[in-house]
Amino acid sequence: SSASTCGSRTCTPVAKNVDPLETMPVSRYAGLTRWGLRLIFAFLMLFLYLPIVFMVAFSFDASQTPSFPIQGPTLHWYDVMINNRQLLSAVGNTISVSLIVAVLATIIGTMAAFVLVRGRLRYPNGIRIAFTMPIMVPGVLIGISLLIFFSRAVHANLSLMTVIAGQLVVTVPFVVLIVASRLQSFDRKLEWAAADLGASPRRTLRHVVLPLIAPAILAGALICITLSIDEFVITWFTVGNQLTLPTYIYTKIKFGVTPEVNAVATVMLVATLLIFGIASVV
């Protein structure tokens, strides 16, 4: 039930189910190093999430200019948020655009991933780079080029439709990368088995392929929603006279961001966590 590891002077019995690496000699500073790494990790997590905690806390602050100590709690800013039609319109535009972008980008990106992985293209790596190039191009350049294209080339009025078209440029590549990686690790023998059992290509796609790559498709859709809500630069160049939440916040910065913006952000944060929670359960 045990083995032995012998050094120059001692022989220590070791159980068979113990990883031999656990018995290797370590530095006298190993424990201190581990604690140092834990402290660094804790600091990074605090740095990432502490601003979000402040945002949620300030949304319940009764003061016009949020600061510590919090003069509250109060739901006043949530009431102001509900009665601010311009802000609600911006939020509605943002949600509408993000949902449309997520649906379109997921469909286009999934089809493009099938072409890249199974299309037997002559230069697949070059085409893959071409598909993912918008991720590496600065958003300012994409925004300016889209503005020139819409206003000078096709003479289209800037609106939410141009915002959707512009955001598709940067969201589709993420779906392509995620779905293509899942397709590359996909076991094609499952499709062959389905065909051997009499399934048509359509039934194989519906009952075998799509269920197995569904987590990647869902992940791509959720990333598209997040990117669309967060996108500011391309939206600023292509939105025209209408407002989305990022552009609304930007236009209000010169006058000072009121706590109602914190209230909106808190509501959207809760909604996002609910969506991710439901997606995880599903």
Side-chain angles (χ1 to χ4, degrees):
S1 60
S2 64
S4 298
T5 57
C6 297
S8 59
R9 297 182 180 180
T10 60
C11 185
T12 306
V14 180
K16 288 185 177 181
N17 57 354
V18 175
D19 190 344
L21 293 177
E22 297 293 334
T23 64
M24 296 291 290
V26 295
S27 169
R28 68 180 66 181
Y29 304 107
L32 183 61
T33 302
R34 283 195 293 266
W35 275 107
L37 293 175
R38 291 171 183 172
L39 290 176
I40 294 175
F41 177 76
F43 173 77
L44 292 176
M45 295 298 292
L46 187 66
F47 177 76
L48 288 174
Y49 290 102
L50 193 59
I52 299 178
V53 174
F54 284 162
M55 177 195 70
V56 175
F58 288 150
S59 69
F60 297 99
D61 189 4
S63 175
Q64 179 75 24
T65 56
S67 60
F68 285 106
I70 294 177
Q71 302 176 11
T74 181
L75 296 177
H76 170 69
W77 298 113
Y78 289 88
D79 182 64
V80 174
M81 173 193 70
I82 294 174
N83 294 311
N84 189 333
R85 293 184 178 181
Q86 188 180 27
L87 176 58
L88 292 181
S89 176
V91 173
N93 291 337
T94 299
I95 294 175
S96 300
V97 169
S98 64
L99 292 178
I100 296 174
V101 167
V103 173
L104 294 178
T106 302
I107 295 174
I108 297 171
T110 301
M111 292 190 297
F114 271 95
V115 174
L116 285 176
V117 176
R118 301 187 177 184
R120 297 181 180 179
L121 302 175
R122 176 172 295 184
Y123 304 106
N125 292 331
I127 297 175
R128 187 188 302 273
I129 293 174
F131 260 107
T132 58
M133 185 66 70
I135 299 177
M136 298 174 281
V137 176
V140 174
L141 298 181
I142 296 176
I144 294 175
S145 62
L146 288 173
L147 175 61
I148 296 174
F149 174 77
F150 289 135
S151 61
R152 300 296 177 87
V154 299
H155 302 286
N157 294 325
L158 299 181
S159 63
L160 294 181
M161 298 303 297
T162 55
V163 172
I164 293 172
Q167 291 187 3
L168 285 175
V169 175
V170 294
T171 54
V172 169
F174 285 95
V175 180
V176 173
L177 289 177
I178 296 173
V179 178
S181 64
R182 182 68 183 95
L183 284 173
Q184 286 177 336
S185 61
F186 183 86
D187 189 359
R188 297 294 300 274
K189 294 179 182 179
L190 298 174
E191 294 182 72
W192 301 342
D196 184 63
L197 293 172
S200 64
R202 180 178 299 180
R203 293 191 63 185
T204 302
L205 177 65
R206 178 181 177 184
H207 297 287
V208 177
V209 178
L210 289 181
L212 289 175
I213 67 173
I217 296 175
L218 180 60
L222 293 177
I223 288 178
C224 288
I225 292 176
T226 303
L227 292 174
S228 176
I229 293 175
D230 183 63
E231 179 56 47
F232 169 75
V233 177
I234 295 177
T235 302
W236 181 257
F237 282 101
T238 58
V239 72
N241 295 326
Q242 294 175 293
L243 289 175
T244 61
L245 184 60
T247 58
Y248 172 84
I249 294 175
Y250 178 75
T251 56
K252 295 297 181 181
I253 286 178
K254 62 182 67 176
F255 305 107
V257 178
T258 59
E260 62 189 282
V261 175
N262 294 331
V264 174
T266 301
V267 171
M268 296 186 67
L269 174 64
V270 173
T272 303
L273 293 178
L274 287 176
I275 292 173
F276 274 96
I278 294 173
S280 299
V281 171
V282 172

